[in-house]
Amino acid sequence: MRSKNPLRFIYATPYAAWLLLFVLAPIAVIVYYSFFDLSGHLTLANYRNFFTSIYFKLTISSFWYAFLITFFALLISYPTAYFLTKTRHKQLWLLLIIIPSWINLLLKTYAFIGLMGIYGPINAFLEAVGIGSQQILFTDFSFVFVSVYIFIPFMILPIFNALDKINPTLLDASKDLGANAWVTFKRVIWPLTTDGVKSGIQVVFIPALSLFMITRLIAGNKVITLGTAIEQQFLVTQNWGMGSTIAVFLIIFMFLIMVLTSGKKGGIIK
């Protein structure tokens, strides 16, 4: 029999330590605090409160906005990624799309505040064409628009990688067999890129559930998500127990989404 490498345990130790200290330990602390009320007494009231109508509506609202952000990001990213693979300097164009994601999120948010403000260039243009200034900031539209802009690079990248790996001979074979562009996309391209789409959904939908800074600065607290509720419980009401309880359910939701978007690898539909 083949002997086990004695150094394998040593190599795995840093990763195991990182996983324990920065993943498992914080989750354990959150679960621990979720069983305490404002007075520091052990209780299950936080979990009972989470299933009240207020938090149920909050959860539905969070999933709805996360769905909208993910849907529009996918709607824009898939054709963009497809056309990028057809361009001559595709790696350069991909880099230009990714570069904005390197800019600090707070800076980008304040940039949109300036663009969408009453005295910003967008309203100045609307005034020039005779429409008149509009209240763009502090609306659902502004929140979804800015969120989609921020998450688009993270959706494009996995889809681009999946599209770029498709063997061109498969597309040629599909055309030779008489398939039109739609049938080729439906039976060849889409099945071979579902893994990239699933990865993109994961990296967009999960963070979108816990947004809180954009909801404050762009939506003006008119949009409340689970992330906003956690921030308010910890920083405003100082109810760490309820904030931890919401965080526990948010972790559960994220885990379920990862399970749902992870499956068998896509293949060509026969």
Side-chain angles (χ1 to χ4, degrees):
M1 290 181 64
R2 195 175 176 182
S3 61
K4 293 183 178 180
N5 187 353
L7 296 177
R8 187 174 298 175
F9 174 78
I10 297 176
Y11 295 152
T13 300
Y15 172 75
W18 183 90
L19 187 67
L20 178 64
L21 292 175
F22 299 106
V23 178
L24 298 180
I27 293 175
V29 172
I30 289 172
V31 173
Y32 171 78
Y33 276 110
S34 68
F35 291 104
F36 291 90
D37 59 15
L38 273 169
S39 302
H41 299 135
L42 195 64
T43 180
L44 292 175
N46 295 324
Y47 286 90
R48 288 196 298 268
N49 292 335
F50 185 83
F51 290 99
T52 59
S53 60
I54 295 175
Y55 289 103
F56 177 75
K57 292 178 181 178
L58 177 63
T59 303
I60 296 299
S61 175
S62 297
F63 271 88
W64 171 245
Y65 283 111
F67 167 77
L68 287 178
I69 293 167
T70 306
F71 173 76
F72 286 115
L74 178 60
L75 192 65
I76 297 170
S77 299
Y78 200 100
T80 303
Y82 179 80
F83 287 115
L84 279 177
T85 59
K86 303 299 181 183
T87 57
R88 186 175 180 181
H89 304 288
K90 54 187 176 183
Q91 298 297 338
L92 176 61
W93 286 108
L94 183 65
L95 179 63
L96 293 176
I97 291 174
I98 294 174
I99 282 177
S101 66
W102 301 350
I103 302 173
N104 184 274
L105 178 60
L106 187 61
L107 292 177
K108 288 189 286 188
T109 305
Y110 275 112
F112 274 105
I113 291 175
L115 288 171
M116 296 179 170
I118 295 296
Y119 303 104
I122 295 178
N123 268 315
F125 173 77
L126 294 178
E127 287 276 6
V129 297
I131 298 176
S133 61
Q134 303 292 322
Q135 181 61 51
I136 304 174
L137 274 178
F138 312 134
T139 61
D140 294 0
F141 167 78
S142 62
F143 169 69
V144 174
F145 181 87
V146 174
S147 300
V148 169
Y149 167 81
I150 289 171
F151 285 122
I152 273 179
F154 304 103
M155 180 70 81
I156 287 179
L157 190 57
I159 296 175
F160 172 86
N161 290 333
L163 286 166
D164 201 41
K165 291 178 181 178
I166 295 178
N167 192 336
T169 58
L170 295 174
L171 305 181
D172 294 336
S174 177
K175 293 178 181 178
D176 291 341
L177 292 172
N180 56 31
W182 168 247
V183 174
T184 300
F185 171 79
K186 181 181 177 181
R187 298 191 172 226
V188 181
I189 298 175
W190 176 257
L192 292 175
T193 56
T194 51
D195 289 337
V197 171
K198 289 177 181 179
S199 298
I201 290 173
Q202 282 186 3
V203 298
V204 173
F205 193 94
I206 292 176
L209 273 178
S210 56
L211 287 173
F212 67 93
M213 183 178 67
I214 298 176
T215 58
R216 285 192 176 278
L217 297 178
I218 300 296
N221 281 339
K222 291 184 178 180
V223 174
I224 305 295
T225 64
L226 290 172
T228 309
I230 292 172
E231 182 200 24
Q232 289 177 343
Q233 293 293 340
F234 273 98
L235 301 181
V236 180
T237 64
Q238 297 292 310
N239 190 347
W240 287 27
M242 194 64 227
S244 298
T245 302
I246 301 172
V248 168
F249 281 99
L250 183 59
I251 293 170
I252 294 173
F253 295 148
M254 291 178 176
F255 176 76
L256 291 175
I257 292 165
M258 292 182 66
V259 172
L260 291 173
T261 53
S262 299
K264 294 180 180 180
K265 291 186 176 181
I268 298 175
I269 298 176
K270 296 181 179 180

